[in-house]
Each structure stands twice: as C-alpha cells, then as structure tokens.
Amino acid sequence: MSRFKSPAEPFRIKVVEPLRRSTRAEREAALKKAGYNVFGVPAEKIAIDFLTDSGTSAMSDAQWAGIMMGDESYAGARSFFRFEKAVKNLFGFTHVIPAHQGRAAERILFETILKKGDAVPNNIHFDTTRANVEVRGGVAVDLVKDEAYDPDIDLPFKGDMDTAKLDAYLAKNKGRVPVVMLTVTNNSGGGQPVSMANIKAVSAVCRRHKVPFFFDACRFAENAWFIKRREPGYARKSVASIAREMFSHADGATMSAKKDALVNIGGFIALNDDDLASRLKTTLIVGEGFPTYGGLAGRDLEAIAQGLAEVVEEAYLEYRTAHVAYLGRLLDEAGVPIFKPVGGHAVYLLADRFLPHIPRDQYPGWALSVALYREAGIRAAEIGGVMFGKLDPKTGREIFPPLEMVRLAVPRRVYTASHLEAVAEALIALHKKREAIKGFRIVEQTLHLRHFTARLEELK
Ligand code: F0G
C-alpha cells in the first residue's frame, strides 16, 4: 500500500499515547447510548479519531517548553507580547485580540458589528460561523464559485469566491453587510484553498463597496502552501511572505489557533481599525477576559506563538499536505468515492455515492460515519444533511445541502502514514459490504448546530 507514501514525517516521536482498542460489542453499546451520534461516543472507545483536526495537534518540544515559560500575570503578561509579535509577524494587522477559540472570536466580532437583518457573505460559512451570524438574526450567504460543489472537477483553487456574485450581492444589499468573510481553506467545501488572485479580487470588490473584508483564517498556512505550489509566481516565495501578502489585502481576520497554530486551545481577532478594535475589546472584557489574555492562560499564548513559527516551515507543510493526500489516493485507487482534489486538512468521502441505496432524507453521510465507527472504531464527522439540513418554514420539508460528505480530518503531527493505511483498509473493506448499511431517522434535535447533540434511530 505504500506506493504513494508521503515524505517521511519531519519529526520524531518523544512522547507516545496508547491507542485504545474496543470490541465490536462495546462499540455497539456506545453507539446505542449516544443515540447513534459519534459526537456522543467517549474518546476512550475510539481507536483512530478523525472527527476533527481542531485542537488535536501534537505540540512540539519547543511548545511544551513555552508552556513552562508562560507568564500568568493578569495584565500585560510577557507571554501576551510574544504572542502579539508572532501574530503581527504573519498577519500584519495592528491590533491583536486573544480569545479562547475561533468561535469566541466570531461571537465577539458579530456581537459588535452585526444587527438583526444584516447579511454576511462568505465563500462557504463554517457551521459555527454560520450559527454566530444566524443566532443574531443575520443571514449567512455562501458565494463560492459553482465548481466548488462539483466533487469531480480537479481545480487548484476550488475555495475561490464568485466575485461577480459578491459584487451583485453588495450592490443589492447596501448598508446591510457589516463584513465580507473568506474562509481559508474552505472547510465546508472540501478543505479547498483560495488563490491569491481571488483574494485580491474579493478585496477590490469590498473596497469598491466600502465593506470591511475579514479572513476566517483557521488554516491560513495550508492555504499559503497551496498558493506556493499551485499559483504562478509564488514558487520561490516563503510561506510566511505569502501569508503576509494574503492578509495585506484584508482589514482583519478571525482565527482558531486550534488548527494552524498547532495548539489545543486558543484563537484571536486581528485587525487594523482602531475604533472597531476598541469596541471589540469592550465585548471581550465582558465575556472572555482582559485584552492581554482573552480567555487564555499565559502558557497558551506561548504555545500559540511557537506554533505559528512552526506551522509555516516548508518541511512541515510539504509533509502535511502530502500526508493527507496519501490517504486520499489510497481510497481513490480502490474506488472509494472522494471529493477531488484532496484538501489541506482532510479527505472528504462522498457518502451519497458510497451508499447510493440510502436516500438523502435517510442521511447517508450519517449512516457512513456510524458504520465506520461500528466496524473499525474510527471516528469521522458527517458534513451533510444532518449538519446543514434545514426545515423549509413554508412546506415543513427538509432542504439538503448540495454535498453529502463524511470528513476524515487528519490531526496535525499525530498519526503516522501506517495509521492512514489502516484507515484506508477499513474503509475499503466497508465499501465492499456497503449494501448492508442502513439509513437513519432523527429522533431528537436542537434549533442550531443540531449535529453535535442530535439523537438518531437506525432504520430497519
Ligand atoms: N472557522 C472554521 C473554518 C473552522 O473550521 C472552525 C472550527 C471555526 C471557524 C471555529 O473554531 O472550533 O476554535 O471555535 N472547526 C472545527 C472543525 C471545529 O472540526 O472543522 P473553534
């Protein structure tokens, strides 16, 4: 199976954590108890956990050393200044406001700038970003190019925004759009990158309409790496300089440090507008903490500062993207349907093609995530009808998102290529007996972000 193996891991392992084994009967019982929702299964009962790449990174020795150096002063801690310098070095914005994770940064931003009835365009909103807009009575609009929804077109930058649609939208909704966002890489659309050309074009449209432009920057380093590899003119530039160029076209960014800062917790907002920064800090103080720690400990700020230096190293990014692509190729070669091309942080299975006998209203993606856990103890997240389905208020019927996928998100620096091979083997075996997999029905759900807590029942 090792024909396409990625470059050897550019690190060696200093601390190990045993993988847990479970019996099929234990997994069956865990599923039943969790209402057939893998979010509800205790991690103790999972062998390989591809639920998310968020907060699951292995930290380096230098990051752990930083943890010991954390300055826990309430105000003006040394660790804050180190963190601020590391963020400014890559993002270039004048204000850096820490928050405990990405969605806290989003909440602070939208609580401060969004009014009921406002709209926020994005290439595709991630689920928490969408929820942060919608819970405040805003409208979250996805304006990615149409190709993003075609899982077979192999394009270098399938995360690009449709700037003609954005231009038209802003012209029609004057005064209603407090910010335009661009998610790099585009998580909900297969982890696809956005090109520098598109970033510039989005920026120009926003400037023309005088609307601020922010990045949702969670996976900015993976995006910058794809620009280096795929966009003419960037091959010789450093990843750090490409990141700086990306951000130079925007007014600010929200960031979940749990992805491309290689830490287990943390986030921030970075921006240039002095007045907005001061309003954001007021919201921050009420809910998160003083502006030099924002819901984090000094040691967390140290780990982020060091992680930001490591994540732009080329040996790391070359390995990282090839590692994820290796899993994709193993599956593709064996005829397991995947979204193409493979994204930066995850391989996305096309669940509706994997399970063509299960109709959309019986949630094939969900069924696949349950089957993968039940058969092999592997956990992955559905990104499909349960996560993004909505009830049409007029007809009472469910409207499904264009893609029905299961995301195999690969934590950073955690699993080896052999683990990827084990996951591929399990999926290939499952694909061979796919006809035995059954659909699901939702029996309990919440109004927002229902996939986290919904309970389901397997159909006969
Ligand atoms: N934006 C994007 C694009 C994300 O992928 C996430 C988190 C967030 C914002 C929120 O950040 O978790 O730190 O509050 N994504 C994780 C995932 C949870 O599994 O994709 P957070």
Side-chain angles (χ1 to χ4, degrees), residues 84-114:
E84 186 189 41
K85 192 171 162 199
V87 175
K88 282 187 176 172
N89 175 44
L90 290 173
F91 286 64
F93 300 115
T94 46
H95 301 279
V96 181
I97 302 171
H100 81 270
Q101 63 182 80
R103 72 199 70 182
E106 292 161 7
R107 179 180 56 76
I108 289 160
L109 180 67
F110 292 127
E111 215 167 282
T112 311
I113 65 169
L114 189 104

PDB file of all heavy atoms in Angstrom, residues 84-114:
ATOM      1  N   GLU A  84       1.554  38.388  20.574  1.00  0.00           N
ATOM      2  CA  GLU A  84       1.174  39.508  19.703  1.00  0.00           C
ATOM      3  C   GLU A  84       2.201  39.688  18.579  1.00  0.00           C
ATOM      4  O   GLU A  84       1.845  39.890  17.411  1.00  0.00           O
ATOM      5  CB  GLU A  84       1.079  40.785  20.563  1.00  0.00           C
ATOM      6  CG  GLU A  84       0.547  41.982  19.803  1.00  0.00           C
ATOM      7  CD  GLU A  84       0.666  43.274  20.619  1.00  0.00           C
ATOM      8  OE1 GLU A  84       1.706  43.469  21.294  1.00  0.00           O
ATOM      9  OE2 GLU A  84      -0.281  44.064  20.581  1.00  0.00           O
ATOM     10  N   LYS A  85       3.469  39.552  18.942  1.00  0.00           N
ATOM     11  CA  LYS A  85       4.536  39.719  17.952  1.00  0.00           C
ATOM     12  C   LYS A  85       4.467  38.607  16.888  1.00  0.00           C
ATOM     13  O   LYS A  85       4.617  38.865  15.691  1.00  0.00           O
ATOM     14  CB  LYS A  85       5.883  39.664  18.679  1.00  0.00           C
ATOM     15  CG  LYS A  85       7.049  40.105  17.857  1.00  0.00           C
ATOM     16  CD  LYS A  85       8.290  40.228  18.732  1.00  0.00           C
ATOM     17  CE  LYS A  85       9.515  40.223  17.819  1.00  0.00           C
ATOM     18  NZ  LYS A  85      10.733  39.899  18.540  1.00  0.00           N
ATOM     19  N   ALA A  86       4.206  37.376  17.340  1.00  0.00           N
ATOM     20  CA  ALA A  86       4.134  36.245  16.401  1.00  0.00           C
ATOM     21  C   ALA A  86       2.949  36.420  15.441  1.00  0.00           C
ATOM     22  O   ALA A  86       3.054  36.143  14.242  1.00  0.00           O
ATOM     23  CB  ALA A  86       4.000  34.936  17.171  1.00  0.00           C
ATOM     24  N   VAL A  87       1.818  36.892  15.968  1.00  0.00           N
ATOM     25  CA  VAL A  87       0.643  37.094  15.105  1.00  0.00           C
ATOM     26  C   VAL A  87       0.927  38.232  14.126  1.00  0.00           C
ATOM     27  O   VAL A  87       0.695  38.104  12.914  1.00  0.00           O
ATOM     28  CB  VAL A  87      -0.630  37.388  15.931  1.00  0.00           C
ATOM     29  CG1 VAL A  87      -1.804  37.718  15.012  1.00  0.00           C
ATOM     30  CG2 VAL A  87      -0.980  36.199  16.832  1.00  0.00           C
ATOM     31  N   LYS A  88       1.466  39.352  14.639  1.00  0.00           N
ATOM     32  CA  LYS A  88       1.727  40.505  13.751  1.00  0.00           C
ATOM     33  C   LYS A  88       2.715  40.136  12.656  1.00  0.00           C
ATOM     34  O   LYS A  88       2.594  40.600  11.523  1.00  0.00           O
ATOM     35  CB  LYS A  88       2.272  41.688  14.561  1.00  0.00           C
ATOM     36  CG  LYS A  88       1.176  42.416  15.326  1.00  0.00           C
ATOM     37  CD  LYS A  88       1.700  43.674  15.981  1.00  0.00           C
ATOM     38  CE  LYS A  88       0.560  44.415  16.656  1.00  0.00           C
ATOM     39  NZ  LYS A  88       1.045  45.547  17.462  1.00  0.00           N
ATOM     40  N   ASN A  89       3.672  39.289  12.987  1.00  0.00           N
ATOM     41  CA  ASN A  89       4.691  38.885  12.010  1.00  0.00           C
ATOM     42  C   ASN A  89       4.077  38.208  10.787  1.00  0.00           C
ATOM     43  O   ASN A  89       4.537  38.412   9.672  1.00  0.00           O
ATOM     44  CB  ASN A  89       5.698  37.953  12.699  1.00  0.00           C
ATOM     45  CG  ASN A  89       6.715  37.406  11.720  1.00  0.00           C
ATOM     46  OD1 ASN A  89       7.241  38.143  10.885  1.00  0.00           O
ATOM     47  ND2 ASN A  89       6.969  36.120  11.792  1.00  0.00           N
ATOM     48  N   LEU A  90       3.008  37.423  10.985  1.00  0.00           N
ATOM     49  CA  LEU A  90       2.406  36.723   9.847  1.00  0.00           C
ATOM     50  C   LEU A  90       1.171  37.430   9.312  1.00  0.00           C
ATOM     51  O   LEU A  90       0.889  37.395   8.126  1.00  0.00           O
ATOM     52  CB  LEU A  90       2.016  35.293  10.249  1.00  0.00           C
ATOM     53  CG  LEU A  90       3.170  34.334  10.509  1.00  0.00           C
ATOM     54  CD1 LEU A  90       2.642  33.010  11.057  1.00  0.00           C
ATOM     55  CD2 LEU A  90       3.952  34.082   9.224  1.00  0.00           C
ATOM     56  N   PHE A  91       0.395  38.045  10.208  1.00  0.00           N
ATOM     57  CA  PHE A  91      -0.890  38.623   9.797  1.00  0.00           C
ATOM     58  C   PHE A  91      -0.752  40.111   9.433  1.00  0.00           C
ATOM     59  O   PHE A  91      -1.538  40.618   8.646  1.00  0.00           O
ATOM     60  CB  PHE A  91      -1.939  38.452  10.906  1.00  0.00           C
ATOM     61  CG  PHE A  91      -2.460  37.036  11.046  1.00  0.00           C
ATOM     62  CD1 PHE A  91      -1.626  36.001  11.419  1.00  0.00           C
ATOM     63  CD2 PHE A  91      -3.795  36.738  10.807  1.00  0.00           C
ATOM     64  CE1 PHE A  91      -2.101  34.691  11.549  1.00  0.00           C
ATOM     65  CE2 PHE A  91      -4.283  35.443  10.931  1.00  0.00           C
ATOM     66  CZ  PHE A  91      -3.435  34.421  11.302  1.00  0.00           C
ATOM     67  N   GLY A  92       0.175  40.774  10.078  1.00  0.00           N
ATOM     68  CA  GLY A  92       0.460  42.163   9.734  1.00  0.00           C
ATOM     69  C   GLY A  92      -0.543  43.199  10.235  1.00  0.00           C
ATOM     70  O   GLY A  92      -0.361  44.385   9.997  1.00  0.00           O
ATOM     71  N   PHE A  93      -1.594  42.794  10.940  1.00  0.00           N
ATOM     72  CA  PHE A  93      -2.586  43.771  11.408  1.00  0.00           C
ATOM     73  C   PHE A  93      -2.089  44.472  12.675  1.00  0.00           C
ATOM     74  O   PHE A  93      -1.254  43.932  13.405  1.00  0.00           O
ATOM     75  CB  PHE A  93      -3.931  43.084  11.675  1.00  0.00           C
ATOM     76  CG  PHE A  93      -4.523  42.424  10.464  1.00  0.00           C
ATOM     77  CD1 PHE A  93      -4.694  41.048  10.402  1.00  0.00           C
ATOM     78  CD2 PHE A  93      -4.896  43.184   9.354  1.00  0.00           C
ATOM     79  CE1 PHE A  93      -5.232  40.429   9.277  1.00  0.00           C
ATOM     80  CE2 PHE A  93      -5.442  42.578   8.215  1.00  0.00           C
ATOM     81  CZ  PHE A  93      -5.608  41.195   8.184  1.00  0.00           C
ATOM     82  N   THR A  94      -2.636  45.662  12.935  1.00  0.00           N
ATOM     83  CA  THR A  94      -2.103  46.458  14.054  1.00  0.00           C
ATOM     84  C   THR A  94      -2.646  46.023  15.418  1.00  0.00           C
ATOM     85  O   THR A  94      -1.991  46.229  16.425  1.00  0.00           O
ATOM     86  CB  THR A  94      -2.396  47.962  13.853  1.00  0.00           C
ATOM     87  OG1 THR A  94      -3.764  48.103  13.462  1.00  0.00           O
ATOM     88  CG2 THR A  94      -1.520  48.560  12.783  1.00  0.00           C
ATOM     89  N   HIS A  95      -3.855  45.468  15.465  1.00  0.00           N
ATOM     90  CA  HIS A  95      -4.429  45.057  16.752  1.00  0.00           C
ATOM     91  C   HIS A  95      -4.586  43.541  16.798  1.00  0.00           C
ATOM     92  O   HIS A  95      -5.071  42.943  15.830  1.00  0.00           O
ATOM     93  CB  HIS A  95      -5.808  45.691  16.968  1.00  0.00           C
ATOM     94  CG  HIS A  95      -5.766  47.179  16.946  1.00  0.00           C
ATOM     95  ND1 HIS A  95      -5.387  47.938  18.036  1.00  0.00           N
ATOM     96  CD2 HIS A  95      -6.030  48.057  15.942  1.00  0.00           C
ATOM     97  CE1 HIS A  95      -5.435  49.220  17.709  1.00  0.00           C
ATOM     98  NE2 HIS A  95      -5.814  49.329  16.450  1.00  0.00           N
ATOM     99  N   VAL A  96      -4.197  42.955  17.919  1.00  0.00           N
ATOM    100  CA  VAL A  96      -4.330  41.507  18.091  1.00  0.00           C
ATOM    101  C   VAL A  96      -5.070  41.254  19.401  1.00  0.00           C
ATOM    102  O   VAL A  96      -4.626  41.682  20.477  1.00  0.00           O
ATOM    103  CB  VAL A  96      -2.950  40.815  18.128  1.00  0.00           C
ATOM    104  CG1 VAL A  96      -3.130  39.306  18.284  1.00  0.00           C
ATOM    105  CG2 VAL A  96      -2.148  41.126  16.874  1.00  0.00           C
ATOM    106  N   ILE A  97      -6.222  40.596  19.292  1.00  0.00           N
ATOM    107  CA  ILE A  97      -7.098  40.407  20.451  1.00  0.00           C
ATOM    108  C   ILE A  97      -7.286  38.910  20.692  1.00  0.00           C
ATOM    109  O   ILE A  97      -7.916  38.224  19.884  1.00  0.00           O
ATOM    110  CB  ILE A  97      -8.471  41.084  20.175  1.00  0.00           C
ATOM    111  CG1 ILE A  97      -8.252  42.577  19.882  1.00  0.00           C
ATOM    112  CG2 ILE A  97      -9.436  40.869  21.325  1.00  0.00           C
ATOM    113  CD1 ILE A  97      -9.488  43.298  19.390  1.00  0.00           C
ATOM    114  N   PRO A  98      -6.722  38.378  21.769  1.00  0.00           N
ATOM    115  CA  PRO A  98      -6.845  36.939  22.003  1.00  0.00           C
ATOM    116  C   PRO A  98      -8.262  36.544  22.429  1.00  0.00           C
ATOM    117  O   PRO A  98      -8.987  37.345  23.033  1.00  0.00           O
ATOM    118  CB  PRO A  98      -5.854  36.671  23.146  1.00  0.00           C
ATOM    119  CG  PRO A  98      -5.673  37.981  23.829  1.00  0.00           C
ATOM    120  CD  PRO A  98      -5.942  39.065  22.820  1.00  0.00           C
ATOM    121  N   ALA A  99      -8.639  35.321  22.087  1.00  0.00           N
ATOM    122  CA  ALA A  99      -9.926  34.766  22.527  1.00  0.00           C
ATOM    123  C   ALA A  99      -9.706  33.278  22.751  1.00  0.00           C
ATOM    124  O   ALA A  99      -8.716  32.725  22.270  1.00  0.00           O
ATOM    125  CB  ALA A  99     -10.989  34.988  21.452  1.00  0.00           C
ATOM    126  N   HIS A 100     -10.631  32.618  23.447  1.00  0.00           N
ATOM    127  CA  HIS A 100     -10.295  31.243  23.831  1.00  0.00           C
ATOM    128  C   HIS A 100     -10.368  30.252  22.677  1.00  0.00           C
ATOM    129  O   HIS A 100      -9.747  29.207  22.711  1.00  0.00           O
ATOM    130  CB  HIS A 100     -11.106  30.781  25.050  1.00  0.00           C
ATOM    131  CG  HIS A 100     -12.492  30.322  24.724  1.00  0.00           C
ATOM    132  ND1 HIS A 100     -13.574  31.165  24.711  1.00  0.00           N
ATOM    133  CD2 HIS A 100     -12.960  29.113  24.363  1.00  0.00           C
ATOM    134  CE1 HIS A 100     -14.655  30.484  24.363  1.00  0.00           C
ATOM    135  NE2 HIS A 100     -14.315  29.236  24.148  1.00  0.00           N
ATOM    136  N   GLN A 101     -11.145  30.542  21.632  1.00  0.00           N
ATOM    137  CA  GLN A 101     -11.077  29.733  20.401  1.00  0.00           C
ATOM    138  C   GLN A 101     -11.732  30.497  19.270  1.00  0.00           C
ATOM    139  O   GLN A 101     -12.145  31.646  19.442  1.00  0.00           O
ATOM    140  CB  GLN A 101     -11.659  28.338  20.601  1.00  0.00           C
ATOM    141  CG  GLN A 101     -13.130  28.242  20.948  1.00  0.00           C
ATOM    142  CD  GLN A 101     -13.547  26.785  21.160  1.00  0.00           C
ATOM    143  OE1 GLN A 101     -13.321  26.217  22.215  1.00  0.00           O
ATOM    144  NE2 GLN A 101     -14.157  26.170  20.150  1.00  0.00           N
ATOM    145  N   GLY A 102     -11.827  29.871  18.098  1.00  0.00           N
ATOM    146  CA  GLY A 102     -12.303  30.585  16.920  1.00  0.00           C
ATOM    147  C   GLY A 102     -13.705  31.144  17.062  1.00  0.00           C
ATOM    148  O   GLY A 102     -13.978  32.299  16.733  1.00  0.00           O
ATOM    149  N   ARG A 103     -14.612  30.322  17.579  1.00  0.00           N
ATOM    150  CA  ARG A 103     -15.995  30.787  17.645  1.00  0.00           C
ATOM    151  C   ARG A 103     -16.176  31.896  18.664  1.00  0.00           C
ATOM    152  O   ARG A 103     -17.129  32.675  18.574  1.00  0.00           O
ATOM    153  CB  ARG A 103     -16.941  29.611  17.881  1.00  0.00           C
ATOM    154  CG  ARG A 103     -16.899  29.006  19.235  1.00  0.00           C
ATOM    155  CD  ARG A 103     -17.489  27.619  19.232  1.00  0.00           C
ATOM    156  NE  ARG A 103     -16.633  26.678  18.526  1.00  0.00           N
ATOM    157  CZ  ARG A 103     -16.920  25.386  18.341  1.00  0.00           C
ATOM    158  NH1 ARG A 103     -18.058  24.900  18.798  1.00  0.00           N
ATOM    159  NH2 ARG A 103     -16.105  24.591  17.711  1.00  0.00           N
ATOM    160  N   ALA A 104     -15.285  31.999  19.643  1.00  0.00           N
ATOM    161  CA  ALA A 104     -15.332  33.127  20.585  1.00  0.00           C
ATOM    162  C   ALA A 104     -14.939  34.397  19.841  1.00  0.00           C
ATOM    163  O   ALA A 104     -15.558  35.456  20.020  1.00  0.00           O
ATOM    164  CB  ALA A 104     -14.397  32.865  21.758  1.00  0.00           C
ATOM    165  N   ALA A 105     -13.940  34.296  18.986  1.00  0.00           N
ATOM    166  CA  ALA A 105     -13.551  35.435  18.150  1.00  0.00           C
ATOM    167  C   ALA A 105     -14.712  35.850  17.256  1.00  0.00           C
ATOM    168  O   ALA A 105     -15.032  37.039  17.122  1.00  0.00           O
ATOM    169  CB  ALA A 105     -12.326  35.069  17.312  1.00  0.00           C
ATOM    170  N   GLU A 106     -15.395  34.858  16.685  1.00  0.00           N
ATOM    171  CA  GLU A 106     -16.547  35.153  15.817  1.00  0.00           C
ATOM    172  C   GLU A 106     -17.679  35.809  16.616  1.00  0.00           C
ATOM    173  O   GLU A 106     -18.303  36.768  16.177  1.00  0.00           O
ATOM    174  CB  GLU A 106     -17.092  33.848  15.202  1.00  0.00           C
ATOM    175  CG  GLU A 106     -16.146  33.203  14.212  1.00  0.00           C
ATOM    176  CD  GLU A 106     -16.469  31.721  13.969  1.00  0.00           C
ATOM    177  OE1 GLU A 106     -17.497  31.223  14.467  1.00  0.00           O
ATOM    178  OE2 GLU A 106     -15.665  31.062  13.292  1.00  0.00           O
ATOM    179  N   ARG A 107     -17.934  35.261  17.808  1.00  0.00           N
ATOM    180  CA  ARG A 107     -19.017  35.805  18.627  1.00  0.00           C
ATOM    181  C   ARG A 107     -18.743  37.272  18.960  1.00  0.00           C
ATOM    182  O   ARG A 107     -19.619  38.128  18.834  1.00  0.00           O
ATOM    183  CB  ARG A 107     -19.174  35.003  19.924  1.00  0.00           C
ATOM    184  CG  ARG A 107     -20.271  35.539  20.842  1.00  0.00           C
ATOM    185  CD  ARG A 107     -20.412  34.726  22.125  1.00  0.00           C
ATOM    186  NE  ARG A 107     -19.177  34.616  22.883  1.00  0.00           N
ATOM    187  CZ  ARG A 107     -18.651  35.583  23.624  1.00  0.00           C
ATOM    188  NH1 ARG A 107     -19.254  36.756  23.723  1.00  0.00           N
ATOM    189  NH2 ARG A 107     -17.515  35.398  24.275  1.00  0.00           N
ATOM    190  N   ILE A 108     -17.503  37.565  19.352  1.00  0.00           N
ATOM    191  CA  ILE A 108     -17.144  38.941  19.714  1.00  0.00           C
ATOM    192  C   ILE A 108     -17.292  39.867  18.508  1.00  0.00           C
ATOM    193  O   ILE A 108     -17.849  40.959  18.599  1.00  0.00           O
ATOM    194  CB  ILE A 108     -15.707  38.964  20.274  1.00  0.00           C
ATOM    195  CG1 ILE A 108     -15.698  38.300  21.648  1.00  0.00           C
ATOM    196  CG2 ILE A 108     -15.161  40.383  20.362  1.00  0.00           C
ATOM    197  CD1 ILE A 108     -14.342  37.828  22.091  1.00  0.00           C
ATOM    198  N   LEU A 109     -16.836  39.381  17.357  1.00  0.00           N
ATOM    199  CA  LEU A 109     -16.937  40.208  16.148  1.00  0.00           C
ATOM    200  C   LEU A 109     -18.400  40.477  15.797  1.00  0.00           C
ATOM    201  O   LEU A 109     -18.818  41.632  15.633  1.00  0.00           O
ATOM    202  CB  LEU A 109     -16.221  39.507  14.976  1.00  0.00           C
ATOM    203  CG  LEU A 109     -16.253  40.257  13.648  1.00  0.00           C
ATOM    204  CD1 LEU A 109     -15.439  41.549  13.720  1.00  0.00           C
ATOM    205  CD2 LEU A 109     -15.729  39.379  12.501  1.00  0.00           C
ATOM    206  N   PHE A 110     -19.201  39.409  15.718  1.00  0.00           N
ATOM    207  CA  PHE A 110     -20.584  39.593  15.261  1.00  0.00           C
ATOM    208  C   PHE A 110     -21.451  40.289  16.313  1.00  0.00           C
ATOM    209  O   PHE A 110     -22.352  41.040  15.969  1.00  0.00           O
ATOM    210  CB  PHE A 110     -21.187  38.260  14.809  1.00  0.00           C
ATOM    211  CG  PHE A 110     -20.549  37.735  13.553  1.00  0.00           C
ATOM    212  CD1 PHE A 110     -20.042  36.454  13.480  1.00  0.00           C
ATOM    213  CD2 PHE A 110     -20.425  38.550  12.436  1.00  0.00           C
ATOM    214  CE1 PHE A 110     -19.432  35.976  12.327  1.00  0.00           C
ATOM    215  CE2 PHE A 110     -19.815  38.086  11.274  1.00  0.00           C
ATOM    216  CZ  PHE A 110     -19.314  36.792  11.224  1.00  0.00           C
ATOM    217  N   GLU A 111     -21.168  40.039  17.594  1.00  0.00           N
ATOM    218  CA  GLU A 111     -21.911  40.730  18.643  1.00  0.00           C
ATOM    219  C   GLU A 111     -21.691  42.233  18.515  1.00  0.00           C
ATOM    220  O   GLU A 111     -22.555  43.038  18.820  1.00  0.00           O
ATOM    221  CB  GLU A 111     -21.395  40.245  20.004  1.00  0.00           C
ATOM    222  CG  GLU A 111     -22.455  40.151  21.075  1.00  0.00           C
ATOM    223  CD  GLU A 111     -21.917  39.379  22.272  1.00  0.00           C
ATOM    224  OE1 GLU A 111     -21.874  38.134  22.191  1.00  0.00           O
ATOM    225  OE2 GLU A 111     -21.521  40.030  23.262  1.00  0.00           O
ATOM    226  N   THR A 112     -20.517  42.620  18.057  1.00  0.00           N
ATOM    227  CA  THR A 112     -20.156  44.036  17.985  1.00  0.00           C
ATOM    228  C   THR A 112     -20.638  44.683  16.690  1.00  0.00           C
ATOM    229  O   THR A 112     -21.037  45.852  16.696  1.00  0.00           O
ATOM    230  CB  THR A 112     -18.618  44.178  18.111  1.00  0.00           C
ATOM    231  OG1 THR A 112     -18.185  43.411  19.222  1.00  0.00           O
ATOM    232  CG2 THR A 112     -18.208  45.627  18.309  1.00  0.00           C
ATOM    233  N   ILE A 113     -20.615  43.953  15.573  1.00  0.00           N
ATOM    234  CA  ILE A 113     -20.886  44.644  14.290  1.00  0.00           C
ATOM    235  C   ILE A 113     -22.191  44.246  13.601  1.00  0.00           C
ATOM    236  O   ILE A 113     -22.594  44.902  12.658  1.00  0.00           O
ATOM    237  CB  ILE A 113     -19.728  44.445  13.279  1.00  0.00           C
ATOM    238  CG1 ILE A 113     -19.586  42.972  12.877  1.00  0.00           C
ATOM    239  CG2 ILE A 113     -18.416  44.990  13.818  1.00  0.00           C
ATOM    240  CD1 ILE A 113     -18.646  42.755  11.706  1.00  0.00           C
ATOM    241  N   LEU A 114     -22.829  43.149  14.047  1.00  0.00           N
ATOM    242  CA  LEU A 114     -23.967  42.645  13.270  1.00  0.00           C
ATOM    243  C   LEU A 114     -25.305  43.029  13.898  1.00  0.00           C
ATOM    244  O   LEU A 114     -25.514  42.812  15.088  1.00  0.00           O
ATOM    245  CB  LEU A 114     -23.872  41.113  13.165  1.00  0.00           C
ATOM    246  CG  LEU A 114     -24.862  40.464  12.217  1.00  0.00           C
ATOM    247  CD1 LEU A 114     -24.160  40.050  10.926  1.00  0.00           C
ATOM    248  CD2 LEU A 114     -25.504  39.241  12.842  1.00  0.00           C
TER     249      LEU A 114
END
